[in-house]
Amino acid sequence: MLQLQDLQVVLEADAGLVKALDGISLTLQRGETFALVGESGCGKSMTALAIMRLLPDNGRIARGRVALSNHVPDAKPTELLSLPESSMRKVRGGRVGIIFQEPATSLNPVMRVGDQIVEAIEAHTSLRGASARRKAVEWLKRVGIPEPERRVHSYPFEMSGGQKQRVMIAMTLAAEPDFLIADEPTTALDVTIQKQVLDLLKALQSERQLGLLLITHDLAVVADMAHRVALMYAGQIIEEAPAPTFFKQPRHPYARSLLQALPDAALRGKRLAAISGTVPPLWQAFVGCRFAPRCERAQAQCQTQAPHLEANGGSVVRCWFPIESGQGATVVQASEREQPFSQAESVAEQLLEVKGLNVRFTSGGGLLRPRHVVQAVSDVSFGVQAGRTLALVGESGCGKTTTGRAIVQLLRGQPHIEVSGEAWLTTDQGRQNLFAMQQAALLSARRSVQMVFQDPFASLNPRMRVQDILQEGLLILRPDWSADQRMARVRELVERVGLRSDALQRFPHEFSGGQRQRLAIARALAVEPRVLVCDEPTSALDVSVQAQILNLLRELQQQLGLGMLFITHNMGVVAYLADHVAVMQQGKVVEQGEAQAVLEAPQHDYTRTLLAAVPRRPV
């Protein structure tokens, strides 16, 4: 077994000493999948780095132990924290392997993938030379890489994201470890590739009796993969239980709140049960329960006394007032906090009509590089109505984001990009084709269609205060407004997206991911658009923050009559939010229609494949 006992990790930071992990204990058996879940910053990845002794330079293990059982019967476990680095290098990879979230940054970009796998094999097994290379080819074949004899000579940049992740799995397992740590191994992958990777891990685990520590915030993946689940919050494990028990009868209020926050077709039209507040900073001294400020069940004792992990059957929970049997049924029903949104009118105005959209990218054309044309979007047509949401779904590279960027005119004038077709926008001046508009007319039309990007940190200027960020669009698109009018609008926006007025004088880095996305939405709304194009606005967010953003978008849509084009690969969000769905494959829309019809009775084979790959939590 791999066992952690009372592990504490501290980081030196400007704010003080950060207790990234504060008393973590868990046991992983061979042949078992143990899922570690929780919101960003709770300590999941830090646990993995502590086990592997790969902490950042400002981090150290203050106390605790990490013990790894030996193959020799009755031998004492190996204490990993006391090993010299030379011995730890043999354990790292040889006994305990790790797969990181982003394979592109984990693979050496200037080494062929075969050489990287051979390097791992020669470091941790007795194979050398030609035998090691044959083993590398064999592992590429086992993880499903086509033509492994040829691809063993490929560089990472010549492979897709899913293939790079498979190479990482092959490289890790080729060293024949007993335990595998998978840190968000499918977060950046499409649902179809995600299913292939998870099925592969299941098969290899069964074959080799691997102990798998799965770190993720995707609860549907956990339900599909895990035998046991540990939920972390603010550097501590607050509940641990067998997976079926965790999903059917969670005992900690935080666990129940997370499950209630998941978007689902059954909650359509209702407000998601988002968790109020934010995760506390870990540099502060805690008194009482760390979740108490956000807990609806908190009492006086919770504010003054820190709870300990208490065992109950096969589960443990850190809570003074855990949810007992019979009280958790609301997990799969509408909670008392879910209030229905007002319903849109049955007949909605068509705000945006896209006809025959084509986007082509051209590269090369010189003596050394022949001209290469990629048809990214091919003859795409759809409509967006007032107060309604059209979800554009499909795998990465299918043309979803390119379609959104083309509509809001972000591809206009770029070299080597050719855009054709029509995008009819309904404004106070009537129906106008965005692709035919120029200069002043186009500038005026930009007020009516705005975009919310996937990564708010990358799309907000880090050198500008929030007040200036929100006024930027107004200065350009509403030059007729006075300074007082602009400031009044900015204050109204900050309040509307649920932030305090003191946010106006702060910079983007001073906010959480969910708060930054709220600012990005406020910026898009500043010029009073009629159509909002949302490009994966919740994909990088935790479940509870995602619920806050989805609630906000629904509220704003109903209040302002916004039409939304929602680009996503999260089918749970689609089932909850979308009125209509358009499915894209290789640049073409292969199926579209009412959301319920497409999701429950898909007509196209690709749509059926896409939906079959979606992991689902038990109900």
Side-chain angles (χ1 to χ4, degrees):
M1 66 180 68
L2 178 64
Q3 191 172 41
L4 280 63
Q5 290 184 350
D6 195 28
L7 191 64
Q8 184 182 79
V9 172
V10 296
L11 305 173
E12 297 283 352
D14 293 339
L17 201 64
V18 176
K19 291 184 180 179
L21 299 179
D22 195 4
I24 296 296
S25 298
L26 61 87
T27 300
L28 174 63
Q29 307 277 357
R30 290 196 67 176
E32 175 189 46
T33 297
F34 190 108
L36 204 55
V37 301
E39 294 180 282
S40 295
C42 69
K44 304 188 302 295
S45 294
M46 196 61 66
T47 302
L49 295 177
I51 293 171
M52 304 299 286
R53 283 176 45 182
L54 293 173
L55 292 174
D57 293 339
N58 66 331
R60 61 181 174 85
I61 295 175
R63 70 166 191 261
R65 62 191 292 260
V66 179
L68 179 63
S69 298
N70 288 300
H71 295 297
V72 181
D74 300 324
K76 288 184 178 181
T78 301
E79 296 287 346
L80 299 188
L81 301 185
S82 61
L83 287 180
E85 180 58 25
S86 58
S87 300
M88 187 62 201
R89 279 197 292 268
K90 296 177 182 178
V91 172
R92 193 185 294 128
R95 295 288 311 280
V96 184
I98 187 167
I99 301 170
F100 293 102
Q101 178 173 351
E102 182 46 71
T105 59
S106 305
L107 295 171
N108 191 325
V110 297
M111 283 181 68
R112 290 181 172 89
V113 296
D115 294 336
Q116 297 186 56
I117 299 173
V118 167
E119 186 178 52
I121 292 171
E122 292 184 343
H124 298 291
T125 73
S126 60
L127 298 179
R128 297 291 184 273
S131 297
R133 185 156 292 273
R134 283 195 297 272
K135 194 72 171 177
V137 172
E138 178 187 330
W139 269 105
L140 285 180
K141 182 178 181 180
R142 293 182 73 182
V143 299
I145 297 292
E147 302 179 88
E149 294 83 0
R150 180 177 68 85
R151 299 311 296 269
V152 76
H153 301 291
S154 298
Y155 288 93
F157 70 85
E158 298 177 289
M159 296 181 147
S160 69
Q163 289 175 327
K164 285 197 283 277
Q165 192 63 287
R166 287 166 179 267
V167 168
M168 275 294 302
I169 294 172
M171 185 167 64
T172 304
L173 295 184
E176 302 179 353
D178 298 323
F179 296 94
L180 178 64
I181 301 172
D183 187 4
E184 299 278 10
T186 61
T187 296
L189 304 180
D190 300 308
V191 288
T192 50
I193 305 300
Q194 172 180 272
K195 186 177 189 308
Q196 294 170 15
V197 169
L198 294 178
D199 286 347
L200 171 65
L201 286 175
K202 279 184 184 176
L204 293 173
Q205 180 187 44
S206 175
E207 173 190 327
R208 298 184 46 79
Q209 281 296 292
L210 274 172
L212 177 60
L213 180 61
L214 178 65
I215 296 172
T216 182
H217 66 260
D218 191 329
L219 293 175
V221 169
V222 172
D224 184 53
M225 291 284 292
H227 299 102
R228 291 186 66 81
V229 181
L231 175 63
M232 292 189 69
Y233 185 82
Q236 295 183 327
I237 289 177
I238 60 173
E239 182 167 1
E240 182 184 332
T245 303
F246 179 82
F247 284 98
K248 291 180 181 177
Q249 186 59 51
R251 302 193 66 226
H252 199 283
Y254 177 57
R256 184 176 72 164
S257 297
L258 280 183
L259 293 173
Q260 286 176 337
L262 290 173
D264 187 85
L267 299 176
R268 184 177 179 80
K270 299 191 177 92
R271 194 179 308 276
L272 292 174
I275 306 172
S276 61
T278 58
V279 178
L282 297 181
W283 47 259
Q284 72 180 46
F286 290 100
V287 178
C289 176
R290 300 184 180 191
F291 185 63
R294 307 175 68 188
C295 182
E296 293 185 344
R297 296 169 61 90
Q299 300 183 32
Q301 183 180 3
C302 304
Q303 310 292 343
T304 58
Q305 299 180 37
H308 303 287
L309 281 173
E310 298 290 342
N312 181 11
S315 306
V316 291
V317 63
R318 190 187 299 272
C319 182
W320 290 120
F321 305 102
I323 302 164
E324 303 301 337
S325 179
Q327 293 180 311
T330 52
V331 168
V332 293
Q333 299 173 6
S335 81
E336 63 275 10
R337 287 180 290 172
E338 290 163 2
Q339 300 297 324
F341 291 97
S342 58
Q343 298 298 310
E345 297 295 329
S346 58
V347 178
E349 178 188 11
Q350 185 96 320
L351 296 180
L352 177 69
E353 186 177 8
V354 177
K355 294 182 178 180
L357 176 63
N358 291 276
V359 181
R360 292 197 298 174
F361 295 88
T362 305
S363 62
L367 292 175
L368 299 179
R369 296 180 63 200
R371 188 170 182 267
H372 181 61
V373 177
V374 175
Q375 187 76 31
V377 178
S378 180
D379 196 29
V380 164
S381 301
F382 56 77
V384 177
Q385 298 174 332
R388 305 288 175 86
T389 299
L390 170 70
L392 197 58
V393 303
E395 297 174 287
S396 291
C398 70
K400 305 188 302 295
T401 294
T402 300
T403 297
R405 289 173 177 266
I407 290 169
V408 298
Q409 306 301 299
L410 292 181
L411 304 183
R412 181 183 286 240
Q414 293 195 30
H416 312 302
I417 301 179
E418 179 184 335
V419 181
S420 62
E422 300 174 353
W424 291 94
L425 181 67
T426 301
T427 67
D428 294 337
Q429 288 74 42
R431 293 181 82 240
Q432 300 170 297
N433 181 11
L434 286 168
F435 293 125
M437 302 174 77
Q438 300 293 332
Q439 297 176 351
L442 177 61
L443 193 64
S444 177
R446 284 186 186 278
R447 293 206 302 259
S448 297
V449 55
Q450 288 286 303
M451 191 165 188
V452 178
F453 296 94
Q454 178 174 357
D455 184 354
F457 196 69
S459 61
L460 297 174
N461 191 325
R463 296 179 177 86
M464 294 175 66
R465 297 183 189 273
V466 168
Q467 174 179 308
D468 301 320
I469 290 172
L470 298 185
Q471 286 199 71
E472 190 175 27
L474 293 172
L475 286 167
I476 298 170
L477 300 178
R478 298 305 301 256
D480 54 313
W481 282 20
S482 67
D484 289 342
Q485 285 178 303
R486 290 196 301 271
M487 277 305 302
R489 176 64 173 159
V490 163
R491 291 193 188 97
E492 176 196 346
L493 286 167
V494 169
E495 183 178 345
R496 174 163 271 174
V497 299
L499 295 175
R500 298 194 305 267
S501 58
D502 61 6
L504 293 174
Q505 299 304 317
R506 294 158 65 189
F507 292 93
H509 74 269
E510 299 179 77
F511 297 90
S512 69
Q515 289 172 327
R516 282 196 290 267
Q517 195 61 288
R518 287 169 179 265
L519 293 174
I521 293 170
R523 181 181 60 179
L525 294 174
V527 293
E528 300 176 322
R530 304 199 71 192
V531 176
L532 207 56
V533 178
C534 300
D535 185 12
E536 298 275 15
T538 64
S539 65
L541 304 180
D542 295 310
V543 170
S544 61
V545 180
Q546 173 182 264
Q548 295 173 11
I549 297 301
L550 293 178
N551 284 341
L552 173 64
L553 288 172
R554 287 296 300 270
E555 289 169 4
L556 294 171
Q557 185 175 48
Q558 297 302 329
Q559 291 170 8
L560 306 175
L562 288 171
M564 283 203 301
L565 175 62
F566 200 95
I567 299 168
T568 185
H569 64 260
N570 187 326
M571 301 307 290
V573 171
V574 172
Y576 169 73
L577 191 67
D579 299 288
H580 299 86
V581 177
V583 183
M584 287 191 73
Q585 181 189 27
Q586 298 179 351
K588 298 180 179 179
V589 173
V590 297
E591 182 170 356
Q592 64 177 303
E594 294 281 345
Q596 185 175 0
V598 173
L599 296 177
E600 294 182 2
Q603 301 300 305
H604 196 276
D605 288 341
Y606 174 72
T607 310
R608 287 193 284 267
T609 301
L610 200 64
L611 293 174
V614 177
R616 304 182 190 280
R617 68 182 179 95
V619 295

